[in-house]
Amino acid sequence: MTKPPFKVRTITAFVALEPFDFEGDGLERKIGRCSSLLRDVETRLSADGYEIQTLRVATNPFGEWLIPLNREEDISKSEMEVIVSRLEGLNSILGKYDINFCSLGPSLCPKHTTALCPFIVSFSPGRFSCSANIDACDVALATAAAKCVKLISSREKMEAHVNSNTIIGDGTHLDGGLGNFRFCTVSRVRSGIPFFPAAKAASEDGSIIKFALGLENGAYAGQLLKEAKSIVNVHKVFSENWRQELLPIQSICVNYANAANQIEYIGIDTSLNPSLHHDGSVARAIEYLDEVQSNFGQGSLSAAAAITTALQSIPDIKTTGYCGLMLPVLEDQRLSELAMVNETENNRIGIQKLLCISSVCGVGVDTVPVSGDVSEKNLSSLMLDVAALAGRWNKQLSCRVFPVPNQNAGEMTVFDSPYLCNSCVFEV
């Protein structure tokens, strides 16, 4: 058996929850069905040689099922007690089924963003993630999301905000500003993205469980772009090779869904997604193209556009999600190098460069470390810029930044995480 040239970063199950699921055994039955689906698909893919890294669950926007009256007003003490009870119940059931990643969807109003998103992220052991939906020119939600990001970056402020060490537990998932690994803003994002924290389920019949795949494929992207050599050849090389590699894994998923009851396979997110290894860098892969100047310079925008077009038009492959180019600074070794202070000012990667590339591809501004004292105003302005790009070009984009406590722009981060590399702190 030939080893597949990529790994499956996630099999994500999408389920719509409703308030009455928390009465009786409704919630456990839904999560149990998600677990069965995830394990069944994992077994089938593993048998064909695919390495599965994570199993995840994403729900519809949490305002539809977590908040008793689903209203955009201040949350009362009695309502907060219900919210805590529901989160504790969901957390416990997910733990029972050994599901360690669960996205609760986006907040849709400023008050929920500031009051509940930090609360959700704080839950130990860090199983929950969420997001805040921002439309172009939505200053109120951007301001609320910026407050949320700043709050999550400080464990001390988080503990005071949620006022419960029982919920935070040992809080290691919040240390060093890493709580923001589990929160982002989203703009024009549709249901069906398998990657976190932007993932959400559609608000529809909860009896149908859907699933999708997300890949880790930076090393394979490098192989293909070396073969292509030029932007001119990207579409042909990607179309032929990706189709050949994705048809078998698609067939397994389609056959499983067709034979199952009330299960729907919605596709593969074909996005180029890096690994932390040197050879797994997406930024390095793009630099293999002749037209891309050194240090991810001129030509990189054209390359990003060509790659994204190819990823979104692979013949005979059912796709979902971003289907774009992922350039997460703290998850791509080459990209993190390009942000170092030893690079010349003209060659260093900055937020404006990332925004520029986002105009022709996904995902947006992702895992970018910023100074711990960054202002809420600057953060909200950045979020509005991402939302403006998404709205103007009808693109699915997200913004995930990490204010790093006690660190300033130009200093090196010291994250100790199996999911992140280190880089220089960016200026916003």
Side-chain angles (χ1 to χ4, degrees):
M1 180 186 298
T2 303
K3 184 179 180 181
F6 54 81
K7 299 175 183 178
V8 177
R9 171 66 61 84
T10 177
I11 307 170
T12 301
F14 300 90
V15 60
L17 300 182
E18 299 174 81
F20 61 74
D21 288 327
F22 293 84
E23 302 169 4
D25 65 349
L27 181 63
E28 178 150 4
R29 282 190 285 107
K30 282 188 175 180
I31 300 302
R33 288 183 59 209
C34 288
S35 176
S36 295
L37 180 160
L38 293 170
R39 306 295 173 189
D40 288 347
V41 176
E42 178 186 35
T43 297
R44 285 163 171 75
L45 294 181
S46 297
D48 266 41
Y50 296 99
E51 180 180 332
I52 314 302
Q53 295 178 322
T54 64
L55 305 177
R56 310 182 187 187
V57 171
T59 76
N60 50 317
F62 63 80
E64 298 175 359
W65 53 267
L66 181 59
I67 303 164
L69 298 179
N70 187 19
R71 55 190 176 84
E72 299 182 4
E73 299 176 13
D74 289 334
I75 297 168
S76 68
K77 182 178 179 180
S78 61
E79 287 175 326
M80 201 64 187
E81 290 173 352
V82 174
I83 290 168
V84 171
S85 175
R86 289 179 178 178
L87 286 175
E88 288 177 336
L90 178 57
N91 198 27
S92 176
I93 292 170
L94 289 166
K96 175 182 176 180
Y97 288 101
D98 196 25
I99 296 172
N100 296 316
F101 303 92
C102 182
S103 172
L104 307 190
S107 165
L108 303 177
C109 78
K111 289 185 177 180
H112 293 174
T113 300
T114 52
L116 293 181
C117 288
F119 193 75
I120 288 167
V121 169
S122 73
F123 256 71
S124 184
R127 186 173 279 118
F128 295 143
S129 63
C130 62
S131 56
N133 187 78
I134 298 179
D135 293 326
C137 301
D138 191 341
V139 176
L141 249 169
T143 301
K147 290 180 182 295
C148 179
V149 166
K150 286 284 286 183
L151 181 59
I152 293 172
S153 71
S154 168
R155 178 170 174 177
E156 292 75 19
K157 290 181 180 179
M158 283 283 278
E159 288 178 342
H161 180 75
V162 303
N163 195 29
S164 174
N165 290 327
T166 301
I167 293 172
I168 289 183
D170 65 13
T172 54
H173 66 289
L174 303 174
D175 288 344
L178 286 180
N180 278 301
F181 193 65
R182 297 166 173 81
F183 177 78
C184 71
T185 63
V186 292
S187 302
R188 293 279 175 162
V189 164
R190 298 180 288 277
S191 61
I193 292 176
F195 293 104
F196 281 27
K200 68 173 179 178
S203 305
E204 54 187 27
D205 184 2
S207 64
I208 298 175
I209 310 294
K210 301 180 180 182
F211 74 100
L213 307 182
L215 309 177
E216 179 187 288
N217 50 19
Y220 186 50
Q223 294 176 32
L224 295 184
L225 292 175
K226 275 184 180 179
E227 178 184 337
K229 295 184 180 179
S230 169
I231 290 172
V232 173
N233 303 321
V234 166
H235 195 280
K236 180 177 185 294
V237 170
F238 268 49
S239 294
E240 293 176 354
N241 288 276
W242 270 120
R243 179 182 182 277
Q244 178 181 333
E245 294 295 341
L246 294 180
L247 278 175
I249 195 170
Q250 175 175 270
S251 178
I252 294 170
C253 293
V254 169
N255 290 340
Y256 170 75
N258 288 343
N261 182 37
Q262 293 185 308
I263 298 292
E264 182 182 344
Y265 169 65
I266 58 177
I268 300 173
D269 190 328
T270 57
S271 294
L272 297 192
N273 183 26
S275 71
L276 290 178
H277 299 295
H278 174 87
D279 292 339
S281 166
V282 170
R284 189 179 305 279
I286 294 171
E287 289 181 317
Y288 291 139
L289 294 171
D290 290 342
E291 294 82 3
V292 178
Q293 302 303 304
S294 62
N295 297 317
F296 211 67
Q298 279 77 21
S300 56
L301 185 66
S302 178
I307 292 167
T308 301
T309 299
L311 291 170
Q312 293 178 351
S313 55
I314 300 171
D316 305 318
I317 300 300
K318 186 174 185 178
T319 59
T320 187
Y322 294 114
C323 295
L325 200 60
M326 292 189 168
L327 294 172
V329 175
L330 293 175
E331 296 179 301
D332 187 304
Q333 288 281 2
R334 177 57 179 156
L335 205 57
S336 69
E337 291 172 7
L338 291 170
M340 301 295 188
V341 292
N342 60 349
E343 296 287 348
T344 67
E345 197 63 34
N346 289 335
N347 289 333
R348 285 180 62 195
I349 286 285
I351 285 181
Q352 289 303 314
K353 174 76 170 182
L354 296 174
L355 278 171
C356 181
I357 294 177
S358 295
S359 67
V360 297
C361 70
V363 167
V365 175
D366 195 22
T367 66
V368 174
V370 299
S371 59
D373 63 357
V374 63
S375 70
E376 292 177 5
K377 182 178 180 180
N378 283 357
L379 283 176
S380 64
S381 294
L382 172 60
M383 295 166 180
L384 286 168
D385 280 348
V386 174
L389 277 178
R392 178 64 181 85
W393 304 113
N394 193 26
K395 298 175 59 61
Q396 301 186 90
L397 297 177
S398 56
C399 180
R400 182 166 50 159
V401 294
F402 298 178
V404 186
N406 305 314
Q407 288 201 274
N408 300 312
E411 296 179 347
M412 192 72 179
T413 63
V414 288
F415 293 124
D416 181 19
S417 168
Y419 306 113
L420 300 173
C421 53
N422 283 291
S423 184
C424 278
V425 175
F426 281 52
E427 180 137 20
V428 179

